[in-house]
Amino acid sequence: MLFLPNLSVAAAIVFLGSTVDAFAATSSASKPIISSSVSSSASGSDDDASSTPQKIFEEFTQFLINHQTDMISKIEQADGSENAFSRDGWGAFASDNEDDQQSKSGGITRVIQGGNVVEKGACSLTVIRNGVLTADRAATIQGRQKQEDGSLVVNEGDSYSAAALSVVLHTRNPFVPTFRSDVRIFFVKSATDDSSAIAWFGGGSDLTPYYLIDEDISKFHRDLKSMCDSHFPENNEYDLSHAKMKQLCDEYFYLPARSEHRGTGGIFFDDLPATTSTLSFVKDVAQGWMPSWLPIVEKNGNREFTDEQKHWQCLRRGRYLEFNLLYDRGVKFGLANNNPRVEGVMVSAPPKIAFDYNHVPEEGSEEERLVKVLKQPKDWC
């Protein structure tokens, strides 16, 4: 069990499930090996002396705090209802004490329910500071590191900090896809050498549609590809591309028991060395969330739908919940611990779902067309 100062394990459980516990994955085929070339004692080629992993972590954390506020304002404006996001602050964010927020752990869970556009939505910020790695966790990270001269080799007792921002928006109208995205950073500092540190980014963005409106989904993917291509040209030092990130997304959001994917995908990345250039990329990912989704809301948010189409949306939401409970690392990790913060763990669950026994879409219907795509992902670009 990880030691988390200044807050209970339960309070931090959701975030740790998607960051620290992500290092427990053992399949190198689905995830890249962590590069150690960005430790402060052996900086990557695009870093200068002032851009240490510590400074990148602090800059990114403040960006996440600000971006949560900005994004919620945009969602509330688009929703147009009297329902605003609630605020559940904990730890350092239970009050507005900025000194605590700069030095202690905590987070803010913001939730909107019963809106005009967003039937239920959650935007969660988590910041963990000065935790201590156990032997098991350190060994897991060691097994995934590339060992390079001068780089930090993670060990038991090293301190870690982490920060993440995630958003899930379940829509009232079945012609507007559910939107999910997150970005995060994981920072480790040597317990024996204060000048030695290392950090990585992770995150992604994806759609879960209920009806395929091809032009909307294609534009979402094209915008992601354009953004990725601007940061990662061919033969880049991170060996990263839009195609690889889309494949990782398709592989992760998959329900093997159903032989189908949860949605039409997007991008997913992990173990990305934290440098000045990757910081710029991850900020662009987060800043592109609302511009990629709100145009779909504006186009289809007021579209008429039938009771049958709403029921289909609820059936597909059942698959969403299946994935969360059966396969999502963060949820499984959170619920498996003693005294979990269940409301925080389950905050991404849809508001209403349906399970019909052995439901088969009508042949030739739009519902059947969606299922065919979910069973065999396509290139939307």
Side-chain angles (χ1 to χ4, degrees):
M1 177 61 64
L2 292 168
F3 170 66
L4 305 177
N6 305 319
L7 76 164
S8 68
V9 171
I13 216 72
V14 177
F15 173 73
L16 292 176
S18 60
T19 50
V20 179
D21 200 56
F23 291 118
T26 58
S27 172
S28 60
S30 62
K31 289 165 64 66
I33 296 296
I34 298 169
S35 170
S36 300
S37 61
V38 290
S39 65
S40 57
S41 57
S43 296
S45 60
D46 68 350
D47 273 340
D48 57 44
S50 64
S51 298
T52 64
Q54 175 85 55
K55 290 183 177 180
I56 291 174
F57 174 82
E58 295 298 340
E59 178 180 344
F60 188 62
T61 298
Q62 189 58 52
F63 166 78
L64 297 183
I65 294 170
N66 296 338
H67 192 58
Q68 184 188 41
T69 301
D70 178 63
M71 184 166 51
I72 285 172
S73 175
K74 288 183 170 67
I75 296 169
E76 288 180 340
Q77 183 177 0
D79 189 79
S81 70
E82 296 181 356
N83 296 326
F85 276 84
S86 63
R87 185 188 189 278
D88 180 12
W90 50 275
F93 294 88
S95 67
D96 293 327
N97 188 319
E98 293 187 4
D99 289 338
D100 282 351
Q101 294 173 13
Q102 296 295 321
S103 60
K104 299 179 181 179
S105 300
I108 309 171
T109 301
R110 305 290 304 271
V111 178
I112 184 172
Q113 300 180 97
N116 292 335
V117 172
V118 183
E119 196 166 5
K120 179 187 174 188
C123 184
S124 300
L125 169 75
T126 308
V127 180
I128 308 299
R129 294 183 182 274
N130 302 317
V132 178
L133 286 174
T134 63
D136 287 346
R137 295 295 181 185
T140 300
I141 299 174
Q142 286 175 10
R144 298 177 50 72
Q145 281 189 280
K146 292 179 180 178
Q147 302 304 318
E148 300 171 2
D149 292 342
S151 65
L152 168 63
V153 177
V154 174
N155 290 298
E156 177 186 4
D158 287 347
S159 68
Y160 74 88
S161 297
L165 180 66
S166 64
V167 60
V168 179
L169 302 171
H170 293 292
T171 53
R172 182 174 298 280
N173 194 305
F175 292 104
V176 179
T178 287
F179 177 75
R180 185 222 65 89
S181 51
D182 75 294
V183 287
R184 55 193 180 272
I185 187 170
F186 188 76
F187 167 70
V188 180
K189 184 167 66 174
S190 171
T192 59
D193 181 359
D194 286 342
S195 67
S196 187
I198 190 168
W200 307 275
F201 288 118
S205 180
D206 63 273
L207 290 180
T208 301
Y210 307 100
Y211 288 93
L212 293 176
I213 303 177
D214 293 50
E215 60 267 29
D216 294 342
I217 300 171
S218 292
K219 185 178 186 306
F220 177 82
H221 282 272
R222 288 197 306 271
D223 288 350
L224 281 176
K225 184 179 186 304
S226 177
M227 185 267 295
C228 292
D229 288 349
S230 70
H231 287 277
F232 300 109
E234 290 187 17
N235 302 317
N236 64 84
E237 64 180 298
Y238 304 102
D239 191 28
L240 203 58
S241 66
H242 170 262
K244 289 183 178 181
M245 287 184 275
K246 180 184 183 299
Q247 180 180 351
L248 287 172
C249 186
D250 289 339
E251 290 173 352
Y252 183 76
F253 294 105
Y254 179 68
L255 292 88
R258 300 282 189 179
S259 298
E260 65 184 40
H261 298 261
R262 192 181 71 180
T264 51
I267 60 171
F268 182 89
F269 59 94
D270 217 345
D271 303 341
L272 180 62
T275 67
T276 53
S277 65
T278 58
L279 172 63
S280 175
F281 164 68
V282 180
K283 284 184 176 181
D284 277 358
V285 171
Q287 289 171 330
W289 290 344
M290 291 302 97
S292 71
W293 183 72
L294 288 178
I296 303 176
V297 172
E298 293 170 4
K299 179 181 175 184
N300 300 311
N302 293 318
R303 184 169 172 173
E304 293 185 358
F305 57 87
T306 65
D307 290 343
E308 290 77 15
Q309 289 167 332
K310 183 66 178 181
H311 183 67
W312 172 251
Q313 181 190 40
C314 289
L315 286 172
R316 294 309 311 174
R317 284 176 173 176
R319 297 289 200 271
Y320 197 101
L321 187 60
E322 278 185 40
F323 176 84
N324 280 8
L325 293 176
L326 296 176
Y327 307 112
D328 185 78
R329 287 195 302 264
V331 173
K332 289 172 66 178
F333 180 78
L335 294 178
N337 281 269
N338 293 327
N339 302 315
R341 186 170 177 262
V342 177
E343 292 300 311
V345 175
M346 296 298 296
V347 73
S348 64
K352 298 177 181 179
I353 62 172
F355 284 93
D356 288 358
Y357 179 75
N358 198 27
H359 184 275
V360 178
E362 181 180 345
E363 185 176 354
S365 67
E366 284 299 302
E367 291 84 356
E368 183 191 50
R369 188 167 80 93
L370 171 68
V371 173
K372 286 181 178 180
V373 168
L374 297 181
K375 288 185 175 293
Q376 185 60 52
K378 60 180 290 185
D379 181 0
W380 292 96
C381 295

